[in-house]
Amino acid sequence: MRPSRRTVLSATGAAAAAACTTAGPAEATPSAAEPTPTAGQTPKGSRPPATAQPPTRELRALLREIDPGRIEATVRKLVSFGTRHTLSAQDDPRRGIGAARDWLLAELRSYAEASGGRMTAELQSYVQEPGPRIPTPTRITNVVATLRGSVTPDRIYVVSGHYDSRVTDVMDATSDAPGADDDASGVAVALELARVMAKRRPASTIVFAAVAGEEQGLFGSAHMAQRFKAAGADVQGMFTNDIVGSPTADDGTRDPYTIRLFAEGVPSSETAEQAATRRSVGGENDSATRQLARFVRDVADNDATGMNVRVIYRRDRYRRGGDHIPFLERAYPAARFTEPAEDFAHQHQDVRVENGKQYGDLPEFCDFDFIARVARVNGAALWTLAQAPGTPRGAKIVTTNLTNATELVWTRGPEPDLAGYEVVWRETTAPEWTHVIPVGDVTRHEVDLSKDNVFFGVRAVNAKGLRSPVAFPEPQA
């Protein structure tokens, strides 16, 4: 017998209440030097969403291998090249972007040696024609390592940082541009994850990238995203780490256990037809990128990372952008990690001292333990994505019949260990999924709740109990 609306509401309400009484993410113990959180900082211990996934033993072991010392060594090595400006020397073995490129490739190839042939590293180059910040034809080169999945290799997840740097004048290619926080920190995250994961066997493919040309116009990332698009690649998630080096704001306050995750609502790639559908049913807060951000909170805001993930409902900071945007423009879910509050004296600045104050993006202003925790957040998200089923395809809400119940349909995934599906729902005013209904290994389910009153989603579950990101259903005529 199909449960009544009252039964569904009672059962799912009880499940959500049980989930909310579960202990929240364990507080990472601050050192004696760390201040307690002040007004405006994100508190630890908030209740996890009903969709939260506890870290597995395998994931905890992986995250423990992330080494702040190796991250520091990477940042300092990149700074040692003097400048990594996109227009700087490409053939000097010690200074300039070419020297940084060659070191990055050698480093990733050394990690690949431990992969048993699963990881490869390569240069991804093209010549950028002149434009507003490119005065002459310039070779842009990404350094990319690919760890091929062992079960569903065609499903891809990407993590990146940009290795080019700049000073106050974006066209100054000769002055020292250390670029420690912006963005050796993000490159160090990608490299450290490549090192740790190279020895493992993800089910799906993970790509680790250090891209160039970001400061001149997101050129390297756009080239990588377009290559994926032209190949018809199934990129189901992309994270850029850009300015993740310090938890210290420009006023000296610190928030060392929070990382921001910028995630757009209305898709950058939205067509006129898609916009019309969105306006008719809602969904401004339910893009694939928002579901990806919720997934990060589900799997990475916990004691295994020691971090709060503060999701920001915005594509990026005001009038600024990052390497996730070219992926968004090509309809790939993508989001940006950035430190909780920036210190603008230590990014996009000439190295100098004024009135006793040091300016410049120098490594002494980075916190390498903080960067390691950011790497753990990325690692928790990427590894779980790669081991879990893919986001369900073809999720629809059937609208042919006028009824107060809701019928959902979707396409069964190809994973050999797929165990079934769950329907999730929440009030239209709620930011997180609040109710979870297990429905089994089916491709159709009816819930005795009105589609007009709440938002629904569908996620896949595998035999190990790992869940996919949620798919937000479209109306099916």
Side-chain angles (χ1 to χ4, degrees):
M1 180 181 295
R2 185 163 58 89
S4 69
R5 187 173 298 110
R6 184 185 300 276
T7 303
V8 170
L9 284 168
S10 299
T12 54
C20 288
T21 57
T22 303
E27 176 122 19
T29 305
S31 68
E34 297 292 357
T36 55
T38 59
Q41 293 181 338
T42 305
K44 286 296 286 181
S46 58
R47 289 177 175 177
T51 47
Q53 302 188 53
T56 63
R57 182 178 301 177
E58 175 189 51
L59 177 58
R60 287 182 183 276
L62 183 156
L63 299 182
R64 282 195 296 269
E65 292 184 26
I66 292 172
D67 184 355
R70 295 190 67 98
I71 286 172
E72 178 176 2
T74 296
V75 171
R76 293 190 181 278
K77 182 65 177 180
L78 289 171
V79 169
S80 76
F81 296 114
T83 179
R84 306 186 305 277
H85 195 283
T86 297
L87 306 178
S88 64
Q90 299 214 16
D91 54 4
D92 187 317
R94 292 180 295 277
R95 182 179 177 86
I97 195 165
R101 172 202 63 212
D102 294 345
W103 179 81
L104 288 165
L105 179 62
E107 196 74 1
L108 287 171
R109 282 180 171 168
S110 73
Y111 304 158
E113 290 176 359
S115 73
R118 294 183 301 279
M119 178 182 279
T120 57
E122 63 178 342
L123 299 179
Q124 192 181 84
S125 297
Y126 80 105
V127 175
Q128 176 60 44
E129 294 303 318
R133 292 185 175 184
I134 303 287
T136 60
T138 301
R139 182 165 294 279
I140 307 288
T141 302
N142 301 325
V143 190
V144 180
T146 302
L147 180 58
R148 185 171 173 81
S150 59
V151 180
T152 49
D154 291 340
R155 175 155 47 99
I156 299 169
Y157 301 96
V158 181
V159 60
S160 79
H162 71 86
Y163 72 102
D164 60 307
S165 62
R166 61 165 287 188
V167 289
T168 305
D169 179 359
V170 72
M171 301 304 291
D172 180 352
T174 59
S175 296
D176 280 352
D181 192 0
D182 185 13
D183 184 36
S185 65
V187 174
V189 167
L191 257 65
E192 183 64 359
L193 293 176
R195 182 187 72 84
V196 170
M197 293 184 183
K199 298 172 287 185
R200 292 173 163 83
R201 291 180 177 271
S204 297
T205 296
I206 306 175
V207 174
F208 311 87
V211 301
E214 193 271 350
E215 302 289 7
Q216 308 309 112
L218 311 180
F219 289 113
S221 178
H223 179 67
M224 180 167 59
Q226 184 56 37
R227 283 178 56 134
F228 280 129
K229 194 69 176 179
D234 183 20
V235 178
Q236 293 198 13
M238 182 272 185
F239 302 109
T240 187
N241 288 265
D242 195 351
I243 312 179
V244 295
S246 173
T248 305
D250 51 5
D251 63 357
T253 58
R254 289 174 57 80
D255 191 1
Y257 302 102
T258 297
I259 186 68
R260 289 185 292 175
L261 181 59
F262 286 86
E264 73 173 13
V266 176
S268 296
S269 62
E270 186 178 68
T271 66
E273 181 180 2
Q274 290 167 338
T277 299
R278 173 181 51 78
R279 286 192 295 266
S280 70
V281 303
E284 293 81 2
N285 195 18
D286 281 285
S287 65
T289 293
R290 288 279 165 88
Q291 308 304 345
L292 183 65
R294 291 186 178 109
F295 181 91
V296 175
R297 284 252 303 127
D298 283 348
V299 302
D301 191 315
N302 52 48
D303 67 314
T305 67
M307 292 288 272
N308 291 310
V309 179
R310 182 179 182 182
V311 177
I312 307 293
Y313 286 168
R314 184 169 283 137
R315 186 171 77 168
D316 210 314
R317 300 142 306 151
Y318 269 89
R319 299 179 64 84
R320 301 176 75 181
D323 287 317
H324 58 309
I325 292 176
F327 282 79
L328 292 170
E329 291 171 341
R330 289 160 179 82
Y332 291 131
R336 173 186 179 139
F337 286 106
T338 296
E339 60 200 24
E342 298 169 73
D343 186 341
F344 302 102
H346 304 307
Q347 57 177 264
H348 295 190
Q349 292 283 347
D350 294 335
V351 179
R352 67 194 190 279
V353 177
E354 284 186 6
N355 300 319
K357 180 179 177 64
Q358 178 71 63
Y359 288 82
D361 192 355
L362 299 162
E364 51 260 43
F365 298 108
C366 287
D367 180 330
F368 302 106
D369 288 327
F370 175 79
I371 302 173
R373 288 194 293 275
V374 175
R376 291 185 187 109
V377 169
N378 279 260
L382 285 163
W383 189 253
T384 310
L385 285 165
Q387 299 296 77
T391 305
R393 304 283 194 183
K396 305 281 187 182
I397 288 182
V398 178
T399 59
T400 50
N401 299 320
L402 293 178
T403 171
N404 283 316
T406 300
E407 185 177 10
L408 297 109
V409 297
W410 57 90
T411 302
R412 193 179 191 278
E415 296 84 4
D417 64 344
L418 184 66
Y421 291 87
E422 295 173 341
V423 169
V424 300
W425 65 271
R426 70 181 198 274
E427 294 291 334
T428 61
T429 53
E432 306 274 5
W433 298 109
T434 54
H435 298 74
V436 180
I437 307 170
V439 299
D441 191 0
V442 298
T443 57
R444 180 180 296 265
H445 185 76
E446 184 175 274
V447 182
D448 198 9
L449 291 171
S450 172
K451 57 188 169 292
D452 298 322
N453 297 340
V454 299
F455 285 134
F456 287 98
V458 180
R459 67 177 183 174
V461 186
N462 70 10
K464 293 183 178 179
L466 296 176
R467 272 79 172 168
S468 74
V470 170
F472 187 70
E474 300 175 355
Q476 182 185 69

PDB file of all heavy atoms in Angstrom, residues 284-300:
ATOM      1  N   GLU A 284      16.398  28.457  -9.047  1.00  0.00           N
ATOM      2  CA  GLU A 284      17.529  29.386  -9.019  1.00  0.00           C
ATOM      3  C   GLU A 284      18.605  28.942  -8.036  1.00  0.00           C
ATOM      4  O   GLU A 284      19.778  29.293  -8.188  1.00  0.00           O
ATOM      5  CB  GLU A 284      17.048  30.793  -8.645  1.00  0.00           C
ATOM      6  CG  GLU A 284      16.159  31.468  -9.664  1.00  0.00           C
ATOM      7  CD  GLU A 284      14.696  31.023  -9.594  1.00  0.00           C
ATOM      8  OE1 GLU A 284      14.360  30.207  -8.710  1.00  0.00           O
ATOM      9  OE2 GLU A 284      13.897  31.508 -10.410  1.00  0.00           O
ATOM     10  N   ASN A 285      18.221  28.157  -7.041  1.00  0.00           N
ATOM     11  CA  ASN A 285      19.162  27.673  -6.038  1.00  0.00           C
ATOM     12  C   ASN A 285      19.467  26.189  -6.232  1.00  0.00           C
ATOM     13  O   ASN A 285      19.936  25.531  -5.310  1.00  0.00           O
ATOM     14  CB  ASN A 285      18.576  27.898  -4.630  1.00  0.00           C
ATOM     15  CG  ASN A 285      19.616  27.768  -3.548  1.00  0.00           C
ATOM     16  OD1 ASN A 285      20.818  27.840  -3.790  1.00  0.00           O
ATOM     17  ND2 ASN A 285      19.161  27.553  -2.327  1.00  0.00           N
ATOM     18  N   ASP A 286      19.217  25.677  -7.433  1.00  0.00           N
ATOM     19  CA  ASP A 286      19.355  24.239  -7.641  1.00  0.00           C
ATOM     20  C   ASP A 286      20.099  23.886  -8.916  1.00  0.00           C
ATOM     21  O   ASP A 286      19.859  22.837  -9.514  1.00  0.00           O
ATOM     22  CB  ASP A 286      17.970  23.576  -7.616  1.00  0.00           C
ATOM     23  CG  ASP A 286      17.485  23.398  -6.191  1.00  0.00           C
ATOM     24  OD1 ASP A 286      17.995  22.493  -5.519  1.00  0.00           O
ATOM     25  OD2 ASP A 286      16.628  24.191  -5.745  1.00  0.00           O
ATOM     26  N   SER A 287      21.032  24.733  -9.312  1.00  0.00           N
ATOM     27  CA  SER A 287      21.891  24.384 -10.438  1.00  0.00           C
ATOM     28  C   SER A 287      22.749  23.179 -10.086  1.00  0.00           C
ATOM     29  O   SER A 287      22.891  22.798  -8.916  1.00  0.00           O
ATOM     30  CB  SER A 287      22.802  25.567 -10.775  1.00  0.00           C
ATOM     31  OG  SER A 287      23.692  25.821  -9.688  1.00  0.00           O
ATOM     32  N   ALA A 288      23.351  22.581 -11.101  1.00  0.00           N
ATOM     33  CA  ALA A 288      24.267  21.463 -10.853  1.00  0.00           C
ATOM     34  C   ALA A 288      25.430  21.904  -9.972  1.00  0.00           C
ATOM     35  O   ALA A 288      25.927  21.124  -9.152  1.00  0.00           O
ATOM     36  CB  ALA A 288      24.776  20.910 -12.180  1.00  0.00           C
ATOM     37  N   THR A 289      25.850  23.154 -10.096  1.00  0.00           N
ATOM     38  CA  THR A 289      26.944  23.654  -9.261  1.00  0.00           C
ATOM     39  C   THR A 289      26.511  23.790  -7.807  1.00  0.00           C
ATOM     40  O   THR A 289      27.282  23.474  -6.886  1.00  0.00           O
ATOM     41  CB  THR A 289      27.459  24.995  -9.809  1.00  0.00           C
ATOM     42  OG1 THR A 289      28.081  24.757 -11.080  1.00  0.00           O
ATOM     43  CG2 THR A 289      28.465  25.625  -8.870  1.00  0.00           C
ATOM     44  N   ARG A 290      25.280  24.248  -7.572  1.00  0.00           N
ATOM     45  CA  ARG A 290      24.793  24.314  -6.185  1.00  0.00           C
ATOM     46  C   ARG A 290      24.706  22.909  -5.578  1.00  0.00           C
ATOM     47  O   ARG A 290      24.997  22.709  -4.399  1.00  0.00           O
ATOM     48  CB  ARG A 290      23.431  25.008  -6.127  1.00  0.00           C
ATOM     49  CG  ARG A 290      23.501  26.513  -6.383  1.00  0.00           C
ATOM     50  CD  ARG A 290      23.914  27.279  -5.130  1.00  0.00           C
ATOM     51  NE  ARG A 290      24.306  28.639  -5.466  1.00  0.00           N
ATOM     52  CZ  ARG A 290      23.479  29.678  -5.546  1.00  0.00           C
ATOM     53  NH1 ARG A 290      22.185  29.504  -5.312  1.00  0.00           N
ATOM     54  NH2 ARG A 290      23.937  30.882  -5.848  1.00  0.00           N
ATOM     55  N   GLN A 291      24.300  21.930  -6.382  1.00  0.00           N
ATOM     56  CA  GLN A 291      24.256  20.556  -5.861  1.00  0.00           C
ATOM     57  C   GLN A 291      25.668  20.061  -5.560  1.00  0.00           C
ATOM     58  O   GLN A 291      25.882  19.341  -4.564  1.00  0.00           O
ATOM     59  CB  GLN A 291      23.568  19.620  -6.856  1.00  0.00           C
ATOM     60  CG  GLN A 291      22.201  20.068  -7.354  1.00  0.00           C
ATOM     61  CD  GLN A 291      21.183  20.334  -6.251  1.00  0.00           C
ATOM     62  OE1 GLN A 291      21.362  19.949  -5.099  1.00  0.00           O
ATOM     63  NE2 GLN A 291      20.104  21.016  -6.605  1.00  0.00           N
ATOM     64  N   LEU A 292      26.628  20.437  -6.396  1.00  0.00           N
ATOM     65  CA  LEU A 292      28.020  20.076  -6.137  1.00  0.00           C
ATOM     66  C   LEU A 292      28.496  20.697  -4.829  1.00  0.00           C
ATOM     67  O   LEU A 292      29.172  20.036  -4.024  1.00  0.00           O
ATOM     68  CB  LEU A 292      28.897  20.530  -7.303  1.00  0.00           C
ATOM     69  CG  LEU A 292      30.377  20.164  -7.240  1.00  0.00           C
ATOM     70  CD1 LEU A 292      30.572  18.656  -7.295  1.00  0.00           C
ATOM     71  CD2 LEU A 292      31.137  20.849  -8.380  1.00  0.00           C
ATOM     72  N   ALA A 293      28.149  21.953  -4.598  1.00  0.00           N
ATOM     73  CA  ALA A 293      28.548  22.629  -3.357  1.00  0.00           C
ATOM     74  C   ALA A 293      27.903  21.972  -2.143  1.00  0.00           C
ATOM     75  O   ALA A 293      28.549  21.802  -1.094  1.00  0.00           O
ATOM     76  CB  ALA A 293      28.176  24.101  -3.429  1.00  0.00           C
ATOM     77  N   ARG A 294      26.630  21.591  -2.264  1.00  0.00           N
ATOM     78  CA  ARG A 294      25.980  20.879  -1.153  1.00  0.00           C
ATOM     79  C   ARG A 294      26.691  19.555  -0.887  1.00  0.00           C
ATOM     80  O   ARG A 294      26.845  19.147   0.272  1.00  0.00           O
ATOM     81  CB  ARG A 294      24.503  20.645  -1.480  1.00  0.00           C
ATOM     82  CG  ARG A 294      23.667  21.926  -1.490  1.00  0.00           C
ATOM     83  CD  ARG A 294      22.183  21.635  -1.683  1.00  0.00           C
ATOM     84  NE  ARG A 294      21.434  22.879  -1.628  1.00  0.00           N
ATOM     85  CZ  ARG A 294      20.860  23.456  -2.693  1.00  0.00           C
ATOM     86  NH1 ARG A 294      20.938  22.878  -3.883  1.00  0.00           N
ATOM     87  NH2 ARG A 294      20.215  24.604  -2.559  1.00  0.00           N
ATOM     88  N   PHE A 295      27.111  18.894  -1.959  1.00  0.00           N
ATOM     89  CA  PHE A 295      27.836  17.631  -1.798  1.00  0.00           C
ATOM     90  C   PHE A 295      29.142  17.847  -1.022  1.00  0.00           C
ATOM     91  O   PHE A 295      29.501  17.039  -0.156  1.00  0.00           O
ATOM     92  CB  PHE A 295      28.122  17.032  -3.174  1.00  0.00           C
ATOM     93  CG  PHE A 295      28.845  15.717  -3.130  1.00  0.00           C
ATOM     94  CD1 PHE A 295      28.140  14.529  -3.103  1.00  0.00           C
ATOM     95  CD2 PHE A 295      30.232  15.666  -3.121  1.00  0.00           C
ATOM     96  CE1 PHE A 295      28.805  13.308  -3.061  1.00  0.00           C
ATOM     97  CE2 PHE A 295      30.902  14.459  -3.074  1.00  0.00           C
ATOM     98  CZ  PHE A 295      30.184  13.273  -3.048  1.00  0.00           C
ATOM     99  N   VAL A 296      29.850  18.929  -1.328  1.00  0.00           N
ATOM    100  CA  VAL A 296      31.089  19.221  -0.599  1.00  0.00           C
ATOM    101  C   VAL A 296      30.797  19.384   0.884  1.00  0.00           C
ATOM    102  O   VAL A 296      31.522  18.860   1.743  1.00  0.00           O
ATOM    103  CB  VAL A 296      31.783  20.469  -1.173  1.00  0.00           C
ATOM    104  CG1 VAL A 296      33.005  20.838  -0.337  1.00  0.00           C
ATOM    105  CG2 VAL A 296      32.202  20.240  -2.620  1.00  0.00           C
ATOM    106  N   ARG A 297      29.751  20.106   1.214  1.00  0.00           N
ATOM    107  CA  ARG A 297      29.363  20.237   2.624  1.00  0.00           C
ATOM    108  C   ARG A 297      29.042  18.868   3.220  1.00  0.00           C
ATOM    109  O   ARG A 297      29.437  18.558   4.345  1.00  0.00           O
ATOM    110  CB  ARG A 297      28.128  21.138   2.745  1.00  0.00           C
ATOM    111  CG  ARG A 297      28.409  22.598   2.582  1.00  0.00           C
ATOM    112  CD  ARG A 297      28.307  23.362   3.896  1.00  0.00           C
ATOM    113  NE  ARG A 297      27.025  23.221   4.553  1.00  0.00           N
ATOM    114  CZ  ARG A 297      26.877  22.840   5.819  1.00  0.00           C
ATOM    115  NH1 ARG A 297      27.923  22.535   6.553  1.00  0.00           N
ATOM    116  NH2 ARG A 297      25.675  22.760   6.356  1.00  0.00           N
ATOM    117  N   ASP A 298      28.359  18.033   2.449  1.00  0.00           N
ATOM    118  CA  ASP A 298      27.963  16.713   2.942  1.00  0.00           C
ATOM    119  C   ASP A 298      29.162  15.852   3.335  1.00  0.00           C
ATOM    120  O   ASP A 298      29.104  15.109   4.312  1.00  0.00           O
ATOM    121  CB  ASP A 298      27.161  15.959   1.869  1.00  0.00           C
ATOM    122  CG  ASP A 298      25.723  16.443   1.742  1.00  0.00           C
ATOM    123  OD1 ASP A 298      25.268  17.198   2.621  1.00  0.00           O
ATOM    124  OD2 ASP A 298      25.061  16.063   0.757  1.00  0.00           O
ATOM    125  N   VAL A 299      30.247  15.929   2.548  1.00  0.00           N
ATOM    126  CA  VAL A 299      31.345  14.978   2.739  1.00  0.00           C
ATOM    127  C   VAL A 299      32.609  15.587   3.335  1.00  0.00           C
ATOM    128  O   VAL A 299      33.498  14.844   3.761  1.00  0.00           O
ATOM    129  CB  VAL A 299      31.713  14.293   1.400  1.00  0.00           C
ATOM    130  CG1 VAL A 299      30.502  13.577   0.819  1.00  0.00           C
ATOM    131  CG2 VAL A 299      32.297  15.275   0.402  1.00  0.00           C
ATOM    132  N   ALA A 300      32.704  16.930   3.380  1.00  0.00           N
ATOM    133  CA  ALA A 300      33.978  17.551   3.771  1.00  0.00           C
ATOM    134  C   ALA A 300      33.875  18.502   4.944  1.00  0.00           C
ATOM    135  O   ALA A 300      34.906  19.019   5.391  1.00  0.00           O
ATOM    136  CB  ALA A 300      34.582  18.280   2.567  1.00  0.00           C
TER     137      ALA A 300
END
